[in-house]
Amino acid sequence: MRRALRPSTALILGSSILAASCGLPRDPEKTSERIASAHELRVGVSANPPWTDDSGAVPRGIEPDLARRFAATMGAHVAWTRGSETTLVQALKHHELDLVIGGFDKKTQWSSAAGVSQPFTRDADGKKHVMLAAAGENRFILALDRFLTAEKRRSEASA
Amino acid sequence: MRGIPHVPNAEGQLRSARRLAWISIVYIFSTILMLFFVMAGSQALKTEMTGEFLSLIPPTLFFIGDKISRREPNERYPFGYERAVSAGYIGAAVALIGVGAYLLFDGGMKLATQEHPTIGGFPIVGQVVWTGWLGIGVLLWSSIPAFFLGRAKRRAAETLHDKTLAADAEINAADWQSAAAAIIGLIGVSFGLWWADAAAAVLISLEIIHSGWAELRTAVGDVMDRKPQDVLAKKDEELPQLLTDFLRRQPWVDDVIVRVRERGREFTAEAHVVPASEDRLVDRITEAGSKAREIDPRLASLTIAPVRQFPEDVAKARNPVPAD
């Protein structure tokens, strides 16, 4: 089985490396470019402990930590915005935010309004936890998915 | 055997047609499964997947039709069961148009509300690949084998005079166009053109509506006993003219009106004959009837009705089609 997969795997990896070198896929609203030039990732946080905790001066918890590390991979710092899920998702829609966190799971009601990331973990109830990004900003979402998938694989390997 | 034309290779063609239909069903399911996984937020891929579901209808109808149309006539269905396929086909064509219209609306709304399709990463073999590239791979899988499958079915459809199979072949052959549209849509999205995806979806849905309309016209025409048409080219069959010429050549025939109808894979014909002489009429009718079946193996029966003059309705069969 593994042997049979190899040529197709090579093809997939080869073409995605080729595409990545051409800068594809691109963001229709240029989220990745803006983050790269402004060195700033705009993250919305909605309180939902233990995933997010915004009681302190800076948001804490599993997801804010992930967001900071993700920003670091792009050479950016995080600009936080606090609010309810509804207002944050609206801001995401208008491209006033890049990322929204708040303990969302894969079956979130916001999936039609925002781009849902790959899960970064699975909780005790078996729910797959995700983050929300601006819909259609596919380069940015792909980068996020790569970061979160690596995170998930790392935590599964250590568990 | 009942329900198939009496051509030498009919049995073999039927076996290969059945095999093709099975291959199609398995193949289409594999495509649907793969599309389901890579669909992400792409409207074009969603539309393509719905199209794949719809292309399950013809091979399924082929199996059902093949089974039902072989039943022997009985008291309740004195003409047999061949028409079951045509009835089923009308339903399928209506479904095709309905789903096409829904997808057109869905894609149009996405364009109107400027919804940006989200297509992210897909974890595979220790990597995370952009789902759009995988989508293009699946679309190639959904189009290239379908093209060859369609060609093989056309051959069998021609021999068997099977419209379901012919329609199935047409749908397979047209699949590459919608797959190509979806691929262009995904490439457009990869370049940041969010509208390319919904635009491709609209094109594909128009293609679905178009083929649904063509199938509906054919199916309704069959049920209405329109003059028989060739299964692939949809041109008038020569058989009615051949039968008319054959009967005219008989010395005992003064005038004749032949009406042929399609009944599933077979034809049945009715000839009203004004005889020149009534001498040995029954023998002559029987003889002409059995000779006529040699003209075309698809002709299952020819009923010859001797008349002094043509009934009014029958005579109208010579009228030209009114321009509407």
Side-chain angles (χ1 to χ4, degrees), chain A residues 8-80:
Chain A
S8 57
T9 309
L11 193 70
I12 288 166
L13 295 182
S15 46
S16 69
I17 288 164
L18 188 73
S21 64
C22 306
L24 299 181
R26 289 182 196 155
D27 294 330
E29 308 297 335
K30 304 191 168 32
T31 297
S32 304
E33 284 176 38
R34 201 201 53 75
I35 294 169
S37 63
H39 303 290
E40 179 192 63
L41 177 69
R42 301 168 302 179
V43 181
V45 192
S46 145
N48 188 354
W51 307 102
T52 54
D53 173 6
D54 69 347
S55 57
V58 276
R60 292 172 191 289
I62 299 162
E63 293 184 11
D65 288 347
L66 281 174
R68 272 187 210 99
R69 284 179 36 219
F70 175 54
T73 63
M74 294 183 293
H77 71 272
V78 177
W80 302 102

Coordinates of all heavy atoms in Angstrom, one line a residue, chain A residues 8-80:
Chain A
S8 N 2.1 9.1 -6.4 CA 1.1 10.1 -6.2 C 1.5 11.1 -5.1 O 1.3 12.3 -5.2 CB -0.3 9.5 -5.9 OG -0.2 8.7 -4.7
T9 N 2.1 10.6 -4.1 CA 2.6 11.4 -3.0 C 3.6 12.4 -3.5 O 3.5 13.6 -3.3 CB 3.2 10.6 -1.9 OG1 2.3 9.6 -1.5 CG2 3.5 11.4 -0.7
A10 N 4.5 11.9 -4.3 CA 5.6 12.7 -4.9 C 4.9 13.8 -5.8 O 5.3 14.9 -5.7 CB 6.5 11.8 -5.7
L11 N 3.9 13.4 -6.5 CA 3.3 14.3 -7.4 C 2.6 15.5 -6.6 O 2.8 16.7 -6.9 CB 2.2 13.6 -8.2 CG 1.6 14.4 -9.4 CD1 2.7 14.5 -10.5 CD2 0.4 13.7 -10.0
I12 N 1.9 15.1 -5.5 CA 1.2 16.0 -4.7 C 2.2 17.0 -4.1 O 2.1 18.2 -4.2 CB 0.3 15.3 -3.6 CG1 -0.9 14.7 -4.2 CG2 -0.1 16.3 -2.5 CD1 -1.6 13.7 -3.3
L13 N 3.2 16.4 -3.5 CA 4.2 17.3 -2.8 C 4.9 18.1 -3.8 O 5.1 19.3 -3.6 CB 5.2 16.4 -2.0 CG 4.6 15.6 -0.9 CD1 5.6 14.8 -0.1 CD2 3.8 16.5 0.1
G14 N 5.3 17.5 -4.9 CA 6.0 18.3 -5.9 C 5.2 19.5 -6.4 O 5.7 20.6 -6.5
S15 N 4.0 19.2 -6.7 CA 3.2 20.3 -7.3 C 2.8 21.4 -6.3 O 2.8 22.5 -6.6 CB 1.9 19.8 -8.0 OG 1.3 18.9 -7.2
S16 N 2.7 20.9 -5.0 CA 2.4 22.0 -4.0 C 3.6 22.8 -3.7 O 3.5 24.0 -3.4 CB 1.8 21.4 -2.7 OG 2.7 20.6 -2.0
I17 N 4.8 22.2 -3.7 CA 6.1 22.9 -3.6 C 6.2 24.0 -4.7 O 6.5 25.1 -4.5 CB 7.3 22.0 -3.5 CG1 7.3 21.3 -2.1 CG2 8.6 22.8 -3.6 CD1 8.2 20.1 -2.1
L18 N 5.9 23.5 -5.9 CA 6.0 24.3 -7.1 C 5.0 25.5 -7.0 O 5.4 26.6 -7.2 CB 5.6 23.5 -8.4 CG 5.8 24.2 -9.7 CD1 7.3 24.3 -10.0 CD2 5.1 23.4 -10.8
A19 N 3.8 25.2 -6.5 CA 2.8 26.2 -6.4 C 3.2 27.2 -5.3 O 3.0 28.4 -5.5 CB 1.4 25.6 -6.1
A20 N 3.7 26.6 -4.2 CA 4.1 27.5 -3.1 C 5.2 28.5 -3.5 O 5.2 29.6 -3.1 CB 4.6 26.7 -1.9
S21 N 6.1 28.0 -4.4 CA 7.2 28.9 -4.9 C 6.6 30.0 -5.8 O 7.3 31.0 -5.9 CB 8.2 28.0 -5.6 OG 7.7 27.5 -6.7
C22 N 5.5 29.7 -6.4 CA 4.8 30.8 -7.2 C 3.9 31.7 -6.3 O 3.2 32.5 -6.7 CB 4.0 30.3 -8.3 SG 4.8 29.1 -9.4
G23 N 3.9 31.4 -5.0 CA 3.1 32.2 -4.1 C 1.6 31.8 -4.1 O 0.8 32.7 -3.9
L24 N 1.3 30.6 -4.5 CA -0.1 30.1 -4.6 C -0.4 29.2 -3.4 O 0.5 28.4 -3.0 CB -0.4 29.4 -5.9 CG -0.1 30.2 -7.2 CD1 -0.5 29.4 -8.4 CD2 -1.0 31.5 -7.1
P25 N -1.6 29.2 -2.9 CA -2.7 30.1 -3.2 C -2.5 31.5 -2.6 O -1.7 31.6 -1.7 CB -3.9 29.4 -2.5 CG -3.3 28.7 -1.4 CD -1.9 28.2 -1.8
R26 N -3.2 32.4 -3.2 CA -3.1 33.8 -2.7 C -4.3 34.2 -1.9 O -5.4 33.6 -2.1 CB -3.0 34.8 -3.9 CG -1.6 34.7 -4.6 CD -1.6 35.7 -5.7 NE -0.5 35.4 -6.6 CZ -0.4 35.7 -7.9 NH1 -1.4 36.4 -8.4 NH2 0.6 35.4 -8.6
D27 N -4.2 35.2 -1.1 CA -5.4 35.8 -0.4 C -6.1 36.8 -1.2 O -5.5 37.8 -1.7 CB -4.9 36.5 0.9 CG -4.3 35.5 1.9 OD1 -4.7 34.3 1.9 OD2 -3.4 35.9 2.7
P28 N -7.4 36.7 -1.4 CA -8.1 37.7 -2.2 C -8.0 39.1 -1.5 O -7.9 40.1 -2.2 CB -9.6 37.2 -2.2 CG -9.5 35.8 -1.9 CD -8.3 35.5 -1.1
E29 N -8.0 39.1 -0.2 CA -8.0 40.4 0.5 C -6.6 40.7 1.1 O -6.4 41.5 2.0 CB -9.1 40.5 1.5 CG -10.5 40.2 1.0 CD -11.0 41.2 0.0 OE1 -10.5 42.3 -0.1 OE2 -11.9 40.8 -0.8
K30 N -5.6 39.9 0.7 CA -4.2 40.2 1.0 C -3.8 40.2 2.5 O -3.0 40.9 3.0 CB -3.7 41.5 0.4 CG -4.0 41.6 -1.1 CD -3.3 42.8 -1.7 CE -3.2 42.8 -3.2 NZ -4.3 42.1 -3.9
T31 N -4.5 39.3 3.3 CA -4.2 39.2 4.7 C -2.7 38.9 5.0 O -2.1 39.5 5.8 CB -5.1 38.1 5.3 OG1 -6.5 38.5 5.2 CG2 -4.8 37.9 6.8
S32 N -2.2 37.9 4.3 CA -0.8 37.4 4.5 C 0.2 38.6 4.3 O 1.1 38.8 5.1 CB -0.4 36.2 3.7 OG -1.3 35.2 3.9
E33 N -0.1 39.3 3.2 CA 0.8 40.4 2.8 C 0.8 41.5 3.9 O 1.8 42.1 4.3 CB 0.4 41.0 1.5 CG 0.8 40.2 0.3 CD 0.3 40.9 -1.0 OE1 0.3 42.1 -1.1 OE2 -0.1 40.1 -1.9
R34 N -0.4 41.8 4.4 CA -0.6 42.8 5.4 C 0.2 42.4 6.7 O 0.8 43.3 7.2 CB -2.1 43.1 5.7 CG -2.3 44.5 6.3 CD -3.7 44.5 7.0 NE -3.8 43.4 8.0 CZ -3.2 43.4 9.1 NH1 -2.4 44.4 9.5 NH2 -3.3 42.4 9.9
I35 N 0.0 41.2 7.1 CA 0.7 40.7 8.3 C 2.2 40.8 8.1 O 2.9 41.3 9.0 CB 0.3 39.3 8.6 CG1 -1.2 39.2 9.0 CG2 1.1 38.7 9.8 CD1 -1.8 37.8 9.1
A36 N 2.7 40.4 6.9 CA 4.1 40.5 6.7 C 4.7 41.9 6.7 O 5.8 42.1 7.2 CB 4.4 39.8 5.4
S37 N 3.9 42.8 6.2 CA 4.4 44.2 6.1 C 4.2 45.0 7.5 O 5.0 45.8 7.9 CB 3.8 45.0 5.0 OG 2.5 45.1 5.1
A38 N 3.1 44.7 8.2 CA 2.8 45.4 9.4 C 3.4 44.7 10.6 O 3.4 45.3 11.7 CB 1.3 45.6 9.6
H39 N 3.8 43.4 10.4 CA 4.3 42.6 11.6 C 3.3 42.6 12.7 O 3.6 42.7 13.9 CB 5.6 43.2 12.1 CG 6.7 43.2 11.0 ND1 7.3 42.1 10.5 CD2 7.2 44.3 10.4 CE1 8.1 42.5 9.6 NE2 8.1 43.8 9.5
E40 N 2.0 42.4 12.3 CA 1.0 42.4 13.3 C -0.1 41.4 12.9 O -0.6 41.5 11.8 CB 0.4 43.8 13.4 CG -0.7 44.0 14.4 CD -1.5 45.3 14.3 OE1 -2.1 45.5 13.2 OE2 -1.4 46.1 15.2
L41 N -0.5 40.6 13.8 CA -1.6 39.6 13.6 C -2.7 40.1 14.5 O -2.6 40.2 15.8 CB -1.2 38.2 14.0 CG -2.2 37.1 13.9 CD1 -2.6 36.8 12.5 CD2 -1.8 35.8 14.6
R42 N -3.9 40.4 13.9 CA -5.0 41.0 14.7 C -5.9 39.8 15.1 O -6.6 39.2 14.3 CB -5.8 42.0 13.8 CG -4.9 43.1 13.3 CD -5.6 44.0 12.3 NE -6.0 43.1 11.1 CZ -6.6 43.6 10.1 NH1 -7.0 44.8 10.0 NH2 -6.9 42.8 9.1
V43 N -5.9 39.6 16.4 CA -6.7 38.4 17.0 C -7.8 38.9 17.8 O -7.6 39.7 18.7 CB -5.7 37.5 17.8 CG1 -6.5 36.3 18.3 CG2 -4.5 37.1 16.9
G44 N -9.0 38.3 17.6 CA -10.1 38.6 18.5 C -10.3 37.5 19.5 O -10.2 36.3 19.1
V45 N -10.5 37.8 20.7 CA -10.7 36.8 21.8 C -12.0 36.9 22.4 O -12.5 38.0 22.8 CB -9.6 37.0 22.9 CG1 -9.6 35.8 23.8 CG2 -8.3 37.3 22.3
S46 N -12.7 35.8 22.5 CA -14.0 35.7 23.2 C -13.7 34.8 24.4 O -13.2 33.7 24.2 CB -15.1 35.2 22.3 OG -16.0 34.5 22.9
A47 N -14.1 35.2 25.6 CA -13.8 34.4 26.8 C -14.5 33.1 26.8 O -15.7 33.0 26.6 CB -14.2 35.2 28.0
N48 N -13.7 32.0 27.0 CA -14.2 30.7 27.1 C -13.1 29.8 27.7 O -12.4 29.0 27.0 CB -14.5 30.2 25.6 CG -15.2 28.8 25.6 OD1 -15.4 28.2 26.7 ND2 -15.7 28.4 24.5
P49 N -13.0 29.9 29.0 CA -12.0 29.1 29.8 C -12.2 27.6 29.6 O -13.4 27.2 29.5 CB -12.1 29.6 31.2 CG -13.0 30.8 31.2 CD -13.8 30.7 30.0
P50 N -11.2 26.7 29.6 CA -9.8 27.1 29.7 C -9.1 27.5 28.3 O -7.9 27.7 28.3 CB -9.2 25.7 30.2 CG -10.0 24.7 29.5 CD -11.4 25.3 29.4
W51 N -9.9 27.5 27.3 CA -9.3 27.8 26.0 C -8.8 29.2 25.9 O -7.7 29.4 25.4 CB -10.3 27.5 24.9 CG -10.9 26.1 25.0 CD1 -12.1 25.7 25.5 CD2 -10.2 24.9 24.7 NE1 -12.2 24.4 25.5 CE2 -11.1 23.8 25.0 CE3 -9.0 24.5 24.1 CZ2 -10.8 22.5 24.8 CZ3 -8.6 23.2 23.9 CH2 -9.5 22.2 24.3
T52 N -9.7 30.1 26.4 CA -9.3 31.5 26.4 C -9.7 32.1 27.7 O -10.8 31.8 28.2 CB -10.0 32.3 25.3 OG1 -11.4 32.1 25.4 CG2 -9.5 31.9 23.9
D53 N -8.8 33.0 28.2 CA -9.1 33.6 29.5 C -8.7 35.1 29.4 O -7.5 35.4 29.2 CB -8.3 32.9 30.6 CG -8.5 33.7 32.0 OD1 -9.2 34.6 32.0 OD2 -7.8 33.2 32.9
D54 N -9.7 36.0 29.3 CA -9.3 37.4 29.1 C -9.5 38.3 30.4 O -9.7 39.5 30.3 CB -10.1 38.0 27.9 CG -11.6 38.2 28.2 OD1 -12.0 37.6 29.2 OD2 -12.2 38.8 27.4
S55 N -9.4 37.6 31.5 CA -9.6 38.3 32.8 C -8.4 39.2 33.1 O -8.5 40.2 33.8 CB -9.9 37.4 33.9 OG -8.8 36.4 34.1
G56 N -7.2 38.8 32.6 CA -6.0 39.6 33.0 C -5.7 40.7 32.0 O -6.6 41.0 31.1
A57 N -4.6 41.3 32.1 CA -4.2 42.4 31.2 C -4.0 41.9 29.8 O -4.4 42.6 28.8 CB -2.9 43.1 31.7
V58 N -3.4 40.8 29.6 CA -3.3 40.1 28.3 C -4.0 38.8 28.3 O -4.0 38.1 29.4 CB -1.8 39.9 27.8 CG1 -1.2 41.1 27.2 CG2 -1.0 39.4 29.0
P59 N -4.7 38.4 27.2 CA -5.4 37.1 27.2 C -4.4 36.0 27.5 O -3.3 36.0 27.0 CB -5.9 37.1 25.8 CG -6.0 38.5 25.3 CD -4.8 39.2 26.0
R60 N -4.9 35.0 28.2 CA -4.1 33.8 28.6 C -4.9 32.6 28.1 O -6.1 32.7 27.8 CB -3.9 33.7 30.1 CG -3.0 34.8 30.6 CD -3.0 34.7 32.1 NE -2.3 35.9 32.6 CZ -1.0 36.1 32.5 NH1 -0.2 35.2 32.0 NH2 -0.4 37.2 32.9
G61 N -4.3 31.5 28.3 CA -5.0 30.2 28.0 C -4.3 29.5 26.8 O -3.3 30.0 26.2
I62 N -4.9 28.3 26.5 CA -4.3 27.5 25.4 C -4.3 28.2 24.1 O -3.2 28.2 23.4 CB -5.1 26.2 25.3 CG1 -5.1 25.4 26.6 CG2 -4.6 25.3 24.2 CD1 -6.2 24.4 26.8
E63 N -5.4 28.8 23.7 CA -5.5 29.4 22.4 C -4.7 30.7 22.3 O -4.0 30.9 21.2 CB -7.0 29.5 22.0 CG -7.6 28.2 21.8 CD -9.0 28.2 21.3 OE1 -9.5 29.3 20.9 OE2 -9.7 27.2 21.3
P64 N -4.7 31.6 23.2 CA -3.9 32.8 23.1 C -2.4 32.4 23.0 O -1.7 33.1 22.2 CB -4.2 33.6 24.4 CG -5.6 33.2 24.7 CD -5.7 31.7 24.4
D65 N -2.0 31.4 23.7 CA -0.6 31.0 23.6 C -0.3 30.5 22.2 O 0.8 30.8 21.6 CB -0.3 29.8 24.6 CG -0.2 30.3 26.0 OD1 -0.1 31.6 26.2 OD2 -0.3 29.5 26.9
L66 N -1.2 29.7 21.6 CA -1.0 29.2 20.2 C -1.0 30.4 19.3 O -0.2 30.5 18.4 CB -2.2 28.3 19.8 CG -2.1 26.9 20.3 CD1 -3.4 26.1 20.0 CD2 -0.9 26.1 19.7
A67 N -1.9 31.4 19.5 CA -1.9 32.5 18.6 C -0.6 33.3 18.6 O -0.1 33.7 17.6 CB -3.1 33.4 19.0
R68 N -0.1 33.5 19.8 CA 1.2 34.2 19.9 C 2.3 33.4 19.2 O 3.1 34.0 18.4 CB 1.6 34.3 21.4 CG 1.1 35.5 22.1 CD 1.7 35.7 23.5 NE 0.7 36.3 24.3 CZ -0.2 35.7 25.1 NH1 -0.1 34.4 25.3 NH2 -1.1 36.4 25.8
R69 N 2.3 32.1 19.3 CA 3.4 31.3 18.6 C 3.2 31.3 17.1 O 4.2 31.4 16.4 CB 3.4 29.9 19.2 CG 4.1 29.9 20.6 CD 4.2 28.6 21.2 NE 4.4 27.5 20.3 CZ 3.8 26.3 20.4 NH1 3.0 26.0 21.4 NH2 4.1 25.4 19.5
F70 N 1.9 31.3 16.7 CA 1.7 31.4 15.3 C 2.1 32.7 14.7 O 2.8 32.8 13.7 CB 0.2 31.2 15.0 CG -0.3 31.3 13.6 CD1 0.4 30.6 12.6 CD2 -1.3 32.2 13.2 CE1 0.0 30.7 11.3 CE2 -1.6 32.4 11.9 CZ -1.0 31.6 10.9
A71 N 1.8 33.8 15.5 CA 2.2 35.1 15.0 C 3.8 35.2 14.9 O 4.3 35.7 13.9 CB 1.8 36.2 16.0
A72 N 4.4 34.5 15.9 CA 5.9 34.6 15.9 C 6.5 33.9 14.6 O 7.5 34.3 14.0 CB 6.4 33.9 17.1
T73 N 5.8 32.8 14.1 CA 6.3 32.1 12.9 C 6.2 33.1 11.7 O 6.9 32.9 10.7 CB 5.4 30.9 12.6 OG1 4.1 31.3 12.3 CG2 5.4 29.9 13.7
M74 N 5.4 34.1 11.8 CA 5.3 35.0 10.7 C 6.0 36.3 11.0 O 5.9 37.3 10.3 CB 3.8 35.3 10.4 CG 3.1 34.1 9.8 SD 1.4 34.5 9.4 CE 0.7 34.9 11.0
G75 N 6.8 36.3 12.1 CA 7.5 37.5 12.5 C 6.6 38.7 12.9 O 6.9 39.8 12.6
A76 N 5.5 38.3 13.5 CA 4.5 39.4 13.9 C 4.2 39.3 15.4 O 4.4 38.2 16.0 CB 3.2 39.2 13.1
H77 N 3.7 40.4 15.9 CA 3.2 40.3 17.3 C 1.7 40.3 17.2 O 1.1 40.6 16.1 CB 3.7 41.5 18.1 CG 3.1 42.8 17.7 ND1 3.7 43.6 16.7 CD2 2.0 43.4 18.1 CE1 2.9 44.6 16.5 NE2 1.9 44.6 17.3
V78 N 1.0 40.1 18.3 CA -0.4 40.0 18.3 C -1.1 41.3 18.8 O -0.6 41.8 19.8 CB -0.9 38.8 19.2 CG1 -2.4 38.7 19.2 CG2 -0.4 37.5 18.7
A79 N -2.0 41.8 18.1 CA -2.9 42.9 18.5 C -4.2 42.3 18.9 O -4.9 41.8 18.1 CB -3.0 43.9 17.4
W80 N -4.5 42.4 20.2 CA -5.7 41.7 20.8 C -6.9 42.6 20.7 O -6.9 43.8 20.9 CB -5.5 41.3 22.2 CG -4.4 40.4 22.5 CD1 -3.1 40.8 22.9 CD2 -4.3 39.0 22.2 NE1 -2.3 39.7 23.0 CE2 -3.0 38.5 22.6 CE3 -5.2 38.1 21.7 CZ2 -2.6 37.2 22.4 CZ3 -4.8 36.7 21.6 CH2 -3.5 36.3 21.9

